[in-house]
Amino acid sequence: MNEHPLIARRSLATELTGRLRDMIVEGTLKAGDKISEPDLCDLFGVSRTPLREALKVLAAEGLVDLTPNRGGRVARIAPEAVEELFPIMGVLEALAGELACARLDADDLARLEAMHAEMVGHWRRGEWVPYSGLNRRIHEEIFRIAGNATLAGLYQNLMVRIHAVRFVARKTPERWTEAIEDHERMMAALRARDGAALSGLMREHLRHKADVVHEALRQLGAPEQG
Amino acid sequence: MNEHPLIARRSLATELTGRLRDMIVEGTLKAGDKISEPDLCDLFGVSRTPLREALKVLAAEGLVDLTPNRGGRVARIAPEAVEELFPIMGVLEALAGELACARLDADDLARLEAMHAEMVGHWRRGEWVPYSGLNRRIHEEIFRIAGNATLAGLYQNLMVRIHAVRFVARKTPERWTEAIEDHERMMAALRARDGAALSGLMREHLRHKADVVHEALRQLGAPEQG
DNA sequence: AGAATGAATAATGAATGCAAAATTCAAGTC
DNA sequence: GACTTGAATTTTGCATTCATTATTCATTCT
């Protein structure tokens, strides 16, 4: 019955939370940047009240560091934090794979096969950007199939926290091939509806991803102060 | 050098976030309760600005539902949400067990043995409250030994979300025995430093816990409106 | 009487104002 | 010349104020 999708009114604070999160994830606001309330108020044409509410939320999400009486900075991702995050994301992906296997239907599999094939194509042609996009979408699709919104949300939140490493984590050709092989094996497990296998593979896949990021971060050294 | 533990000044908003979270977890604010900003301002003697910042954070944590222009309510835990949360908590506990096994030293094991023995004592004497406390502390100790602060924080957050079920989830004697048996097996795995085994056991333990809660929730029916 | 309408009241969303704290920067000291 | 000291400025934290939206309640109409 409810065809009319009830008018979504958002508060300024909610709107700002989303906008700022995007700016951080997309790199408009870089890790370590000072967050100037007056400047952002000017930028968005709002007062400090809703802006501060948004910052508090982002701080709770771990995207912003707020120090009392000293204002905020975009959270800087420390190598240690990456080392802590990836094992967690590994088990969450593993769980998603397990659940997805149990609920997978023919349509789901067909869609994943298509996305996978397209992604492999991009890999063959060395097209990094579309490859990355498809890769992300495949993982999102698995979470969708898993049918656990809380799990998906949690994963999304952790994913956002490591936004900063997106830019450093350019794969070497060997690592890229490794990732493709991981995905091939994952597809095989999906076709076989082998939840335990997929679970293990996804965890391993994340472990590889962690290695890539970790190498990149170590290579950069520890950029302590911006 | 930094022996002096730098003076912790907290903002009112931060303070309020903690207080309100406690009130929700402890049941002073019950699931479904309307949150009146004026009343809470009176109660704490603060203005609405920091209170609203705190509410926004709690909303982000999933403890409070905020509806634009209509104020907030303490989040009500739906059986479906429990069904979504427990598998997640299961894999997080499993990971904690695995990590803890790898880092466990003699002191850690001794401490866990002592806590376990004390908990079993409470079980034998049917002392539910101290049993529960010790049970919680054992799980916390495993997370501490695991040495992954992000993991511990995440688990804590999920734990808080299911605050409401704490009160409904009184175990039957059979379930209680089952829980003790789970813990016995977990201790055995710890002594053997068998991370894989502990991991599996902890996940199963959480599955049992989920069963208990789920039975209780279904029994209560779905209290839709407060 | 029961539903519907509209005024009165209360709550929320956001801007402004103000005091306290931090930062900046210039002057002074060693 | 580098380090300290302290005033001027900026920024932050919080209270207050104002506008908008909900809610309540009395009144009217069927």
Side-chain angles (χ1 to χ4, degrees):
Chain A
M1 177 55 64
N2 200 331
E3 189 53 42
H4 300 283
L6 52 154
I7 300 158
R9 272 181 305 181
R10 305 168 53 120
S11 67
L12 277 184
T14 309
E15 184 69 27
L16 285 170
T17 306
R19 299 273 200 107
L20 289 172
R21 193 187 291 114
D22 287 348
M23 288 175 73
I24 294 174
V25 170
E26 287 165 14
T28 313
L29 289 171
K30 290 181 195 46
D33 279 3
K34 178 88 175 60
I35 291 174
S36 163
E37 292 181 12
D39 288 359
L40 287 175
C41 288
D42 278 3
L43 179 62
F44 292 114
V46 299
S47 76
R48 283 175 52 223
T49 308
L51 181 79
R52 285 171 57 79
E53 290 174 357
L55 289 178
K56 281 278 192 314
V57 170
L58 293 174
E61 286 179 13
L63 278 179
V64 165
D65 290 331
L66 291 179
T67 317
N69 294 320
R70 292 215 206 172
R73 291 186 170 278
V74 178
R76 189 188 296 282
I77 187 92
E80 307 80 54
V82 173
E83 253 168 309
E84 290 201 355
L85 277 168
F86 272 105
I88 301 171
M89 297 177 75
V91 297
L92 294 184
E93 282 239 20
L95 175 60
E98 195 180 316
L99 295 174
C101 254
R103 299 170 47 109
L104 192 78
D105 65 23
D107 277 359
D108 295 328
L109 185 58
R111 199 164 22 242
L112 283 172
E113 293 278 14
M115 293 168 86
H116 177 69
E118 195 181 341
M119 185 181 77
V120 171
H122 289 307
W123 167 66
R124 277 195 221 288
R125 278 168 268 135
E127 298 160 354
W128 171 256
V129 174
Y131 164 85
S132 297
L134 228 14
N135 183 36
R136 185 177 46 74
R137 281 171 48 208
I138 287 173
H139 284 266
E140 283 172 2
E141 179 68 7
I142 291 173
F143 274 90
R144 190 194 62 72
I145 297 168
N148 184 324
T150 309
L151 176 61
L154 207 56
Y155 190 80
Q156 193 60 39
N157 175 257
L158 297 182
M159 201 59 166
V160 165
R161 281 202 220 178
I162 56 167
H163 63 276
V165 306
R166 272 199 333 162
F167 305 105
V168 300
R170 178 131 311 178
K171 286 183 172 71
T172 63
E174 298 77 39
R175 287 296 193 182
W176 199 354
T177 304
E178 180 184 61
I180 286 286
E181 286 167 357
D182 286 351
H183 271 260
E184 294 282 8
R185 280 192 285 269
M186 283 159 53
M187 287 309 299
L190 276 163
R191 285 179 209 116
R193 259 72 166 185
D194 188 341
L198 180 60
S199 177
L201 286 170
M202 290 188 77
R203 198 169 170 195
E204 197 187 330
H205 181 53
L206 247 283
R207 203 142 38 210
H208 292 155
K209 204 165 177 174
D211 289 343
V212 173
V213 169
H214 207 237
E215 285 164 11
L217 275 179
R218 286 278 175 236
Q219 203 164 12
L220 283 178
E224 269 312 310
Q225 291 299 64
Chain B
M1 177 57 65
N2 200 330
E3 189 53 43
H4 301 285
L6 52 158
I7 302 156
R9 271 180 306 179
R10 314 181 51 175
S11 67
L12 276 185
T14 309
E15 184 70 28
L16 284 170
T17 307
R19 299 273 199 106
L20 288 171
R21 192 188 292 115
D22 287 348
M23 287 176 74
I24 293 174
V25 170
E26 287 165 14
T28 313
L29 289 171
K30 290 180 196 46
D33 279 3
K34 178 91 175 57
I35 292 174
S36 161
E37 292 181 11
D39 288 359
L40 287 175
C41 287
D42 277 4
L43 180 62
F44 292 114
V46 299
S47 77
R48 282 175 53 221
T49 308
L51 180 80
R52 285 172 58 80
E53 290 174 357
L55 289 177
K56 281 277 193 309
V57 170
L58 293 174
E61 286 179 14
L63 277 178
V64 165
D65 290 331
L66 291 179
T67 316
N69 295 320
R70 293 221 210 167
R73 293 187 169 278
V74 178
R76 187 189 297 282
I77 187 94
E80 305 81 53
V82 173
E83 253 168 309
E84 290 201 355
L85 277 168
F86 272 105
I88 301 172
M89 298 177 75
V91 296
L92 295 183
E93 282 241 18
L95 175 60
E98 195 180 315
L99 294 174
C101 254
R103 301 170 45 109
L104 192 79
D105 66 25
D107 277 359
D108 294 329
L109 184 59
R111 199 166 21 243
L112 283 172
E113 293 277 15
M115 292 167 85
H116 177 69
E118 194 182 340
M119 187 181 76
V120 171
H122 289 307
W123 167 65
R124 277 195 221 290
R125 278 167 268 133
E127 299 159 355
W128 171 256
V129 174
Y131 164 85
S132 294
L134 228 13
N135 183 34
R136 186 177 47 74
R137 280 172 48 208
I138 287 174
H139 284 266
E140 283 172 3
E141 180 68 8
I142 291 174
F143 274 90
R144 191 194 61 74
I145 297 168
N148 184 325
T150 309
L151 176 62
L154 207 56
Y155 189 80
Q156 194 60 40
N157 174 258
L158 297 182
M159 202 59 167
V160 164
R161 283 202 220 175
I162 57 167
H163 63 276
V165 306
R166 275 201 330 161
F167 304 104
V168 299
R170 178 131 309 181
K171 285 184 173 70
T172 62
E174 298 76 38
R175 288 295 194 181
W176 200 353
T177 305
E178 180 184 61
I180 287 285
E181 286 167 356
D182 286 350
H183 271 261
E184 294 282 8
R185 279 190 286 269
M186 284 160 51
M187 288 309 300
L190 276 164
R191 286 179 208 114
R193 259 68 164 187
D194 188 342
L198 181 59
S199 177
L201 286 170
M202 289 187 77
R203 198 170 169 193
E204 196 187 329
H205 181 53
L206 247 285
R207 206 144 33 211
H208 291 155
K209 205 165 177 174
D211 289 343
V212 173
V213 168
H214 206 236
E215 285 164 11
L217 274 180
R218 286 279 176 236
Q219 203 162 12
L220 283 178
E224 270 311 309
Q225 293 296 67

